[in-house]
Amino acid sequence: MVNLKAAPFFLTEEKEKWVLDTLASMTTEEKIGQMFCPIGGNTEEGFLQSFLEEFHPGAMLYRPFAAKDVRKTHKYLQEHSRIPLLFGANLESGGNGICADGTYYARPMGVAATDNPVNAYRLGAVAGKEAQAVGCNWAFSPICDLDMNFRNPITNVRTFGSSQERVISFVKEQLRGLKEYGVAAAVKHFPGDGVDERDQHLVSTVNSLSVEEWDATYGAIWQEVVNAGALSVMVGHIMQPAYSKYFNPELTDEEILPATLSKELLQGLLRGKLGFNGMIVTDATPMIGFNTFLPRHEAVPAALAAGCDMILFNKDIREDYQAVRDALADGRLTAERVDEAVTRILAMKSAMDLPEMQAAGTIVAGEEALSCVGCAEHQEWAKECADESVTLVKDTQNLLPISPEKYKRIRLYLLEDRIGGGFKDGEGAIDKIKGKLEQEGFEVTLYDYAHPDMYEMFEGGVADVKSKFDLALYVACIDTASNQSVRRIDWVHLMAADAPWFMQDIPAMFVSIANPYHLVDAPMVKTFINAYTPTEAVIDQVIEKILGRSEFRGVNPVDPFCGIWGAKF
């Protein structure tokens, strides 16, 4: 039986009665529905009503669109669902995780670079207040991962860095900000991403630390998360072989499973050793990391049987529901395990006061609450965070500050995702750099990737380049994005024509407004700045600092030199 009076639920007798009475009143179909969180798409009311009647979901997630429309959709669904819904969102960087017009506060690593926990609280508060305004009550954040491997393409700026002490401090402050506005957290990604260099969207990844190493790093973080009272934990498609074998020494290497399917990690480590009594949700199950160990019709109920309480997202939702029905019919999944999972889901909702708010008609705030979405106060906080976060990694050539008097003619290189539809994040912010520099009196020439200068590429020498510009400025926006194997600089393949071959004759400066690890590919650059978050507020602060009007205040949350000899010179 689930202890509903214990952490993190702390239910009163009355709230416990609601959970037990609701469970007793539910059909098997309703119980199955509670264990799923599908992605929403169609917002037409007739479709929504039919969807509720067929699937009875326990939760849903909508990708960001206009705040007023998000609120309208959430309100309709809550008013027409017998049991109140959890509405999730990736509130990792601010209210923009649920509202297209929400505040993009900062990437977590940008917050960490301020070395100021107040900014972590503000990250949670901005996201929480704007989510609350549209009826979103469940944050798929904070991220508790450690960015141990600079080659990892998906953790990176989504983390608070590589120090578990800073991660613990900042995660707890972000949790406090979310909780202040009634938004529950699904802290992620247990048992911890960032050791492997691969992306669990593409393959089941491996946290390869020993038991002792895990305890001293990820374990310390997760124990603090449990102790802080997080209501839910998101489990990744990540293997942890050392702890799997610790709890089951008979396991062969071939039998080790990712956490979403592993009784050893869910029951032994998370529930047992760490003492987590809350709700466990899988990471997105369409990921390849989930689907390659078992046939999907076996994997979905196997995740529930192993100890997950809710399945995040579907491939074919009807297939997934049928897989659970079939597993219940043949005994692979027991009615007792389903009741336990649904009890925890209902207990989480009760602990959040969702039944009372649904009954009172206040589960989605009134339209007046939308005034906070993207508001001036939140934008000012984002600006302050940007000011504190921009980090001067090195300036060994004593280039800074720059001015039009010293470096009138700038060749600007915009390093971005040129494949697969453009930017993954920050679209528009990077394009504003040219105009902002020109306003300061610089003459800026944009390197033309579509039509590169063939003479310069094959025949031009130093004199030719010097005749054109005084300073080369590289600005990179190669942001973290799912389903990417690497996040590295992809120089022009013909002669690496955009690389700074001329840097001993003409100075070069590099600014990254996303990935902080570009010195692995450009260690020769002697002036390097990390800014972490691709927003206009960050771009403005970068310009203020390179012009000498503002001090660099950021600290390195990771090793930007990537452990490479020579990168510090």
Side-chain angles (χ1 to χ4, degrees):
M1 295 294 292
V2 182
N3 188 345
L4 300 180
K5 291 185 170 65
F9 303 125
F10 299 115
L11 298 190
T12 63
E13 295 285 348
E14 184 178 0
K15 286 179 170 290
E16 185 176 37
K17 185 177 185 301
W18 179 85
V19 171
L20 298 177
D21 287 351
T22 302
L23 181 69
S25 72
M26 294 171 71
T27 66
T28 299
E29 285 296 301
E30 287 178 314
K31 290 177 182 179
I32 292 172
Q34 279 297 298
M35 297 187 295
F36 281 91
C37 175
I39 290 183
N42 190 330
T43 60
E44 192 272 321
E45 290 185 354
F47 172 85
L48 296 178
Q49 184 63 46
S50 298
F51 191 88
L52 288 175
E53 291 172 358
E54 181 175 0
F55 297 110
H56 318 286
M60 291 186 72
L61 177 143
Y62 282 87
R63 298 300 187 188
F65 51 102
K68 62 181 180 60
D69 297 322
V70 178
R71 177 191 171 276
K72 180 181 177 183
T73 300
H74 285 172
K75 188 172 188 294
Y76 182 90
L77 287 164
Q78 291 289 26
E79 288 176 347
H80 291 81
S81 177
R82 183 169 86 87
I83 298 170
L85 289 146
L86 295 171
F87 281 114
N90 285 315
L91 301 177
E92 299 177 6
S93 303
N96 64 320
I98 185 62
C99 305
D101 44 348
T103 302
Y104 191 166
Y105 179 76
R107 286 292 207 176
M109 193 174 286
V111 175
T114 71
D115 205 28
N116 182 359
V118 169
N119 289 313
Y121 161 78
R122 287 180 171 181
L123 171 59
V126 167
K129 189 173 184 179
E130 296 189 6
Q132 183 190 59
V134 298
C136 174
N137 51 32
W138 195 21
F140 294 169
S141 64
I143 293 174
C144 290
D145 301 320
L146 286 166
D147 206 42
M148 287 187 170
N149 191 328
F150 73 87
R151 293 184 177 89
N152 187 297
I154 189 64
T155 53
N156 204 287
V157 290
R158 297 173 68 216
T159 75
F160 287 121
S162 58
S163 161
Q164 63 263 27
E165 291 83 6
R166 186 180 286 117
V167 170
I168 288 168
S169 172
F170 281 48
V171 161
K172 289 168 74 172
E173 285 301 299
Q174 187 180 358
L175 282 170
R176 187 168 70 89
L178 288 166
K179 185 176 181 180
E180 189 170 304
Y181 291 97
V183 177
V187 189
K188 60 188 183 183
H189 307 81
F190 181 84
D193 206 349
V195 179
D196 203 328
E197 67 178 62
R198 300 167 299 167
D199 176 6
Q200 59 164 328
H201 292 79
L202 300 174
V203 62
S204 295
T205 58
V206 181
N207 184 313
S208 57
L209 301 184
S210 69
V211 166
E212 294 75 18
E213 289 169 335
W214 190 90
D215 284 347
T217 53
Y218 291 91
I221 296 169
W222 282 106
Q223 191 64 71
E224 290 284 349
V225 166
V226 171
N227 294 347
L231 283 168
S232 63
V233 164
M234 181 180 288
V235 175
H237 315 307
I238 303 167
M239 291 176 277
Q240 217 299 321
Y243 256 117
S244 291
K245 290 192 173 185
Y246 175 87
F247 285 108
N248 187 355
E250 303 302 316
L251 279 178
T252 65
D253 288 348
E254 293 79 8
E255 292 171 325
I256 290 172
L257 296 170
T260 35
L261 295 166
S262 170
K263 291 182 180 179
E264 293 79 18
L265 299 181
L266 295 174
Q267 302 297 329
L269 184 53
L270 183 53
R271 292 242 186 260
K273 183 179 176 68
L274 296 175
F276 181 64
N277 185 45
M279 195 266 275
I280 296 174
V281 60
T282 72
D283 205 338
T285 61
M287 292 182 186
I288 297 172
F290 178 77
N291 286 289
T292 55
F293 283 84
L294 296 168
R296 186 169 177 91
H297 74 276
E298 295 180 18
V300 169
L304 297 170
C308 293
D309 302 310
M310 184 176 281
I311 301 295
L312 183 61
F313 308 162
N314 306 99
K315 293 291 285 182
D316 182 310
I317 189 169
R318 291 183 176 89
E319 284 184 356
D320 287 350
Y321 273 49
Q322 189 59 47
V324 175
R325 294 186 193 104
D326 292 344
L328 275 168
D330 65 25
R332 285 177 290 128
L333 181 63
T334 67
E336 291 76 17
R337 171 78 267 271
V338 169
D339 282 354
E340 178 194 358
V342 175
T343 297
R344 281 201 167 91
I345 295 165
L346 296 176
M348 178 175 171
K349 295 177 179 183
S350 184
M352 296 166 65
D353 298 326
L354 299 188
E356 294 88 345
M357 290 191 291
Q358 185 188 47
T362 59
I363 196 167
V364 176
E367 289 188 24
E368 67 280 356
L370 294 175
S371 62
C372 77
V373 177
C375 67
E377 179 184 36
H378 293 176
Q379 297 296 338
E380 183 61 29
W381 282 1
K383 179 180 177 180
E384 291 174 16
C385 184
D387 173 41
E388 294 179 45
S389 68
V390 177
T391 307
L392 178 60
V393 175
K394 66 175 180 177
D395 182 24
T396 57
Q397 62 185 333
N398 297 314
L399 176 72
L400 299 173
I402 65 170
S403 68
E405 290 70 36
K406 289 192 286 186
Y407 305 106
K408 181 73 170 179
R409 301 168 303 168
I410 294 178
R411 164 73 67 79
L412 178 61
Y413 297 83
L414 298 182
L415 304 177
E416 55 185 302
D417 289 295
R418 295 189 294 274
I419 300 173
F423 298 112
K424 301 298 185 291
D425 202 349
E427 188 167 8
I430 194 171
D431 292 331
K432 293 182 171 63
I433 294 174
K434 182 176 184 291
K436 290 177 183 291
L437 289 171
E438 288 172 338
Q439 289 175 9
E440 298 291 343
F442 295 96
E443 295 176 3
V444 183
T445 302
L446 193 63
Y447 185 86
D448 188 349
Y449 282 95
H451 307 93
D453 186 331
M454 303 305 287
Y455 173 82
E456 179 181 304
M457 189 180 299
F458 290 106
E459 300 178 55
V462 172
D464 175 59
V465 175
K466 279 187 171 183
S467 71
K468 297 175 182 176
F469 59 96
D470 308 307
L471 172 70
L473 174 58
Y474 290 84
V475 182
C477 183
I478 302 175
D479 201 12
T480 53
S482 62
N483 302 293
Q484 297 283 331
S485 294
V486 293
R487 309 302 292 138
R488 299 276 293 275
I489 298 173
D490 187 23
W491 301 117
V492 169
H493 294 179
L494 188 60
M495 300 290 292
D498 56 339
W501 63 271
F502 46 73
M503 56 165 286
Q504 294 296 340
D505 296 289
I506 298 166
M509 175 168 54
F510 197 112
V511 178
S512 175
I513 57 170
N515 187 341
Y517 295 120
H518 287 312
L519 281 172
V520 69
D521 292 315
M524 73 293 284
V525 176
K526 298 184 181 302
T527 302
F528 192 94
I529 295 163
N530 274 327
Y532 314 103
T533 305
T535 62
E536 188 170 357
V538 166
I539 295 296
D540 288 341
Q541 291 303 315
V542 167
I543 290 175
E544 287 294 298
K545 294 175 193 305
I546 65 176
L547 294 180
R549 296 196 293 246
S550 174
E551 294 182 1
F552 287 92
R553 302 172 64 186
V555 300
N556 291 313
V558 292
D559 173 17
F561 305 106
C562 309
I564 293 173
W565 186 90
K568 293 183 179 181
F569 302 160

